[in-house]
Amino acid sequence: MSGVTVPRNFRLLEELEKGEKGLGDGTVSYGMENGEDIMMRSWSGTIIGPMNSVHDGRIYMLRLYCGDEYPNKPPTVSFLSKINMTCVKSDGTVDPNVFGPLKNWSPKYTLETVLVELKREMLSPQNRKLP
């Protein structure tokens, strides 16, 4: 069924359901920041740093904002926890010009994609320093 566009809120409801069930090994999770947000714009995310890295065991909190054009446009992503990564600006905002999944956004990507790829990015050699 290619060419079928799922309405924004249906898509976000699917993502919410998946996020609430937990992902993979449980080191990445996300959900609604405010259950009363009927437009489903504001999300919170958590990444537990990858094992055998400088981020091992650290818990990173994030805020994800899905604008009205999501999933056709990427979410805005910010770390609330201090982190030292080349794709993260000093204010915690993930730089969409540097972070691949945001820079090369596809409507097929999800909030899970963003969080899993940020966790993977923590393992790259240039991100091996703590703040």
Side-chain angles (χ1 to χ4, degrees), residues 72-120:
N72 296 319
K73 301 272 181 169
T76 302
V77 183
S78 299
F79 276 86
L80 301 176
S81 307
K82 189 169 174 79
I83 191 164
N84 185 23
M85 291 176 66
T86 55
C87 63
V88 179
K89 298 177 183 180
S90 60
D91 67 355
T93 304
V94 176
D95 189 339
N97 297 313
V98 177
F99 182 57
L102 297 182
K103 182 177 183 178
N104 303 308
W105 183 257
S106 166
K108 293 179 183 175
Y109 293 168
T110 63
L111 298 175
E112 175 184 354
T113 304
V114 172
L115 294 172
V116 168
E117 290 303 315
L118 280 168
K119 180 182 172 190
R120 183 172 293 138

Side-chain angles (χ1 to χ4, degrees), residues 50-62:
M51 292 179 58
N52 303 317
S53 75
V54 295
H55 304 284
D56 191 351
R58 292 177 176 264
I59 299 172
Y60 296 99
M61 305 300 295
L62 299 91

Side-chain angles (χ1 to χ4, degrees), residues 21-41:
K21 288 181 180 176
L23 310 173
D25 61 4
T27 60
V28 173
S29 64
Y30 60 94
M32 293 293 305
E33 200 167 71
N34 176 356
E36 311 256 331
D37 178 7
I38 62 171
M39 294 306 294
M40 303 181 79
R41 290 186 178 110

